[in-house]
Amino acid sequence: MKDIVRGWRHIPQRYNLIGSKCLQCGEVFFPMRVICPKCRRKGKLEDIKFNGNGKIHSYSVIHTPTDEFKNISPYPVAIIELDEGAKITSQIVDCDTEDIEIGQEVELVFRKIRAESDEGVISYGYKFKHKK
């Protein structure tokens, strides 16, 4: 039950890709922060909603996943540099692993992550796909 309450509390961040921007140094971060890692306590942060577009900065293909993700392996996971400058780690979907290249433009999509068998709760989250 605790996870369900935590999930509902974080819905805006989960479905809108919200991070933080430091008004002192201009750095942007994902996930949201309460202290700027660059300025430390000197920085003042505000929420920023990312547009969901970016480029593949680096990637790897997972061939030996945990039991929870064996049914989708192999699958690519990438570091995405968002248009606003923050970097985020995410799965790349809707493509063959051979078609992924560093520098490719990608866009945010929301997909099913897993279904909790005991409670029947379906978890959704962000992933990225090639931009058309």
Side-chain angles (χ1 to χ4, degrees), residues 4-130:
I4 294 171
V5 171
R6 185 180 318 131
W8 281 101
R9 184 176 40 213
H10 295 292
I11 281 177
Q13 296 96 324
R14 182 174 292 164
Y15 296 110
N16 289 300
L17 206 59
I18 297 173
S20 300
K21 179 177 182 174
C22 179
L23 299 176
Q24 175 88 14
C25 68
E27 291 289 320
V28 291
F29 310 98
F30 183 85
M32 295 174 71
R33 310 281 173 99
V34 292
I35 296 174
C36 175
K38 187 173 180 181
C39 296
R40 299 294 182 191
R41 298 195 185 277
K42 296 177 190 173
K44 181 177 180 187
L45 300 176
E46 70 177 4
D47 293 352
I48 179 173
K49 182 178 176 184
F50 297 108
N51 68 17
N53 296 310
K55 292 182 180 180
I56 296 175
H57 180 75
S58 182
Y59 74 95
S60 182
V61 177
I62 308 300
H63 291 275
T64 311
T66 61
D67 289 343
E68 187 176 10
F69 297 106
K70 280 187 178 181
N71 62 328
I72 62 169
S73 74
Y75 60 91
V77 174
I79 297 173
I80 308 297
E81 185 170 356
L82 299 172
D83 286 351
E84 296 84 357
K87 290 188 175 94
I88 182 172
T89 303
S90 177
Q91 183 182 354
I92 304 296
V93 295
D94 299 343
C95 69
D96 292 327
T97 56
E98 299 85 26
D99 295 335
I100 298 172
E101 295 179 14
I102 292 175
Q104 279 181 323
E105 292 186 357
V106 291
E107 63 186 347
L108 176 72
V109 293
F110 288 98
R111 299 290 168 82
K112 179 179 171 181
I113 304 288
R114 68 179 158 271
E116 302 287 334
S117 59
D118 295 342
E119 294 91 18
V121 176
I122 298 173
S123 297
Y124 291 88
Y126 59 84
K127 297 183 181 191
F128 284 81
K129 69 175 187 169
H130 291 132

